[in-house]
Every structure is written in C-alpha cells, then in structure tokens.
C-alpha cells in the first residue's frame, strides 16, 4: 500500500463546478497535512495546510478525518486558473520527511 | 515570485562535466531540502539540511554531492551524471529544524538535461 494515495484523475470539470479530491494516508503517526498545487513544468506551491477542525480559504475547503486517515480538498466555483495538479502531502511521522501523493490532475474547461 | 531562488533555471551537461546547482533563501529558514522530480511523478526527497548539517541522505548516488555553506545557501554539486538523472531539481526550505510539521516552500527548480 502506498503511503499517500490519490486518484490521479484527470478530473475534467466545467467552469463554475464544484470538485472534490480525496487522499488517504497509511501512517497513523502523521501529524501535519498539506495540499500543494503544481502547474505544468513549475514548482509545487503550498495551497493550504489541513487542520483537524477543517479549514477554508476562499473557494477552497480542506478536511481531515484522522480516524479514517483521510484528507479532502473541495474547490467551489472552479476557475480556468485552477487547472493544475493537486498534491496531497503528509508528514512521515517518525521518518522526519514529507510524503507526497502522486497528485490529482484537474482540468477546468470553459 | 518565489522566495526560494534557484540557479540556473536550465542546465544541459555532458556525462563527464562537473556543474553545481545553487539555491538561496532569505526567510530565515533553518531547514533546506533537495528534491528530484521526473515528469508526471511527485518530488522525491534527496537530501535534508537542518541547521546547516546534513540530516537525511536518501541513499543518493555519490555523483550528487550537497553542500550548505551557510543558513541561506544550499548547493548541489554534480559530477559524472547519467542520462537517467535528467529531471527537475527542486530546492525547498522550511522554518524549523528539518521536522515535517511545517510546510516547505519550493524554488522554481533547475531543469537538468544530461546528454
């Protein structure tokens, strides 16, 4: 089983749609969780950290379920500029590293 | 604009060449990282420096040699690379002592091609 699993997509959605990405992680000792976005041929950029209580930043909402070891990202009112790969990132617990999921590709269509 | 600066942006080198990748951050971060990323794959950790000391080497071949001259700078020295080493090399930094509790901030990378 992979340490961090994501549906690779692609997710093709029309502008204005709501889209949700899911991620599961295997290490119950993980304490920190992040979503990054990566545009084609660019570096990963931090989108948001994920907190136990859930958190929202504009059109983006992140949720964490520690019992199920599950993280989600909801994007409302999708924009063309949201097209990117979304990386679920989890700390490796005692390994002192960040573990990256393989990413989910989102393509927002006009 | 990224706060982690990497140079050069692109590098083409032969298998016998020696070159260096450079990374600089002025955020006062005490942990710095090198990653390698192949197309359509997530970044793979290579090295971690914490307070200017190497804390993690992910069994990287010795043809890659990291160096941390001071808390703001991180270099990756390259020698006798193979074609399969062609990739995007990303530098990142984070605030703390190399622990994963806080997010990492990435530079825009060096795209390396080995002929």
């Amino acid at each position: 089983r992979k340490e961090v699993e994501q549906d690779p997509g692609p997710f093709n959605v029309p502008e204005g749609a709501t889209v949700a990405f899911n991620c599961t992680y295997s290490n119950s000792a993980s304490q920190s969780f992040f979503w990054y976005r990566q545009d084609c041929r660019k570096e990963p950029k931090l989108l948001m950290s994920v907190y136990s209580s859930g958190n929202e930043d504009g059109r983006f909402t992140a949720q964490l379920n520690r019992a199920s070891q599950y993280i989600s990202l909801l994007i409302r009112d999708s924009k063309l500029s949201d097209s990117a790969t979304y990386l679920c990132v989890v700390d490796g617990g005692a390994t002192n590293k960040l573990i990256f999921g393989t990413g989910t590709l989102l393509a927002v269509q006009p | 604009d990224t706060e982690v600066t990497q140079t050069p942006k692109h590098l083409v080198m032969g298998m016998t060449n020696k070159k260096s990748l450079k990374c600089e951050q002025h955020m006062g971060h005490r942990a710095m990282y090198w990653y390698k990323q192949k197309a359509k794959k997530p970044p793979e950790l290579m090295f971690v420096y914490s307070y200017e000391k190497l804390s993690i080497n992910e069994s990287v071949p010795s043809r890659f040699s990291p160096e941390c001259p001071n808390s703001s700078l991180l270099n990756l020295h390259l020698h006798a690379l193979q074609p399969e080493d062609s990739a995007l090399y990303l530098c990142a930094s984070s605030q703390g002592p190399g622990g994963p509790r806080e997010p990492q901030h990435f530079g825009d990378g060096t795209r390396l091609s080995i002929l």
Side-chain angles (χ1 to χ4, degrees):
Chain A
R1 182 185 172 188
K2 289 182 182 174
E3 292 181 271
V4 178
E5 292 205 61
Q6 294 182 252
D7 182 341
F11 283 56
N12 296 299
V13 303
E15 272 186 289
T18 295
V19 61
F21 304 138
N22 302 319
C23 169
T24 57
Y25 61 95
S26 61
N27 190 341
S28 59
S30 295
Q31 296 292 320
S32 299
F33 310 91
F34 311 99
W35 284 102
Y36 282 74
R37 76 169 271 169
Q38 186 169 24
D39 292 280
C40 188
R41 300 179 68 81
K42 299 282 192 179
E43 77 277 18
K45 292 188 176 176
L46 179 68
L47 182 65
M48 56 200 303
S49 301
V50 186
Y51 303 117
S52 296
S53 54
N55 47 300
E56 188 174 308
D57 182 1
R59 298 181 292 109
F60 300 85
T61 300
Q63 297 278 353
L64 168 65
N65 183 321
R66 286 186 187 273
S68 302
Q69 295 182 198
Y70 169 95
I71 306 158
S72 65
L73 177 69
L74 184 76
I75 305 175
R76 289 181 299 278
D77 188 23
S78 300
K79 312 290 185 194
L80 294 176
S81 57
D82 294 332
S83 298
T85 295
Y86 289 82
L87 295 161
C88 176
V89 184
V90 175
D91 80 84
T95 66
N96 206 36
K97 300 184 283 192
L98 286 183
I99 311 299
F100 287 77
T102 51
T104 298
L105 179 61
L106 172 65
V108 181
Q109 316 285 345
Chain B
D1 286 342
T2 182
E3 295 178 86
V4 179
T5 305
Q6 289 187 244
T7 55
K9 296 284 185 278
H10 301 274
L11 179 61
V12 179
M13 57 188 285
M15 289 190 283
T16 58
N17 292 157
K18 284 185 182 180
K19 296 284 184 185
S20 297
L21 309 185
K22 297 186 183 300
C23 175
E24 189 168 5
Q25 57 89 13
H26 292 289
M27 295 180 282
H29 288 175
R30 303 315 301 266
M32 296 185 76
Y33 311 79
W34 279 114
Y35 288 86
K36 173 184 176 180
Q37 188 175 25
K38 302 283 264 186
K40 300 188 188 301
K41 299 286 188 184
E44 298 174 34
L45 183 66
M46 300 175 72
F47 302 104
V48 179
Y49 272 83
S50 175
Y51 289 95
E52 300 159 51
K53 293 193 186 321
L54 183 65
S55 61
I56 294 178
N57 176 342
E58 287 287 275
S59 302
V60 179
S62 59
R63 57 186 184 268
F64 295 91
S65 175
E67 178 198 19
C68 188
N70 60 54
S71 60
S72 300
L73 293 174
L74 186 66
N75 298 323
L76 186 63
H77 302 298
L78 314 173
H79 174 55
L81 294 196
Q82 304 298 310
E84 61 265 28
D85 296 323
S86 298
L88 179 66
Y89 287 84
L90 293 160
C91 174
S93 70
S94 65
Q95 192 169 17
R101 308 300 188 215
E102 65 280 331
Q104 295 174 16
H105 300 268
F106 287 83
D108 53 8
T110 294
R111 195 160 296 280
L112 176 66
S113 298
I114 306 301
L115 301 179

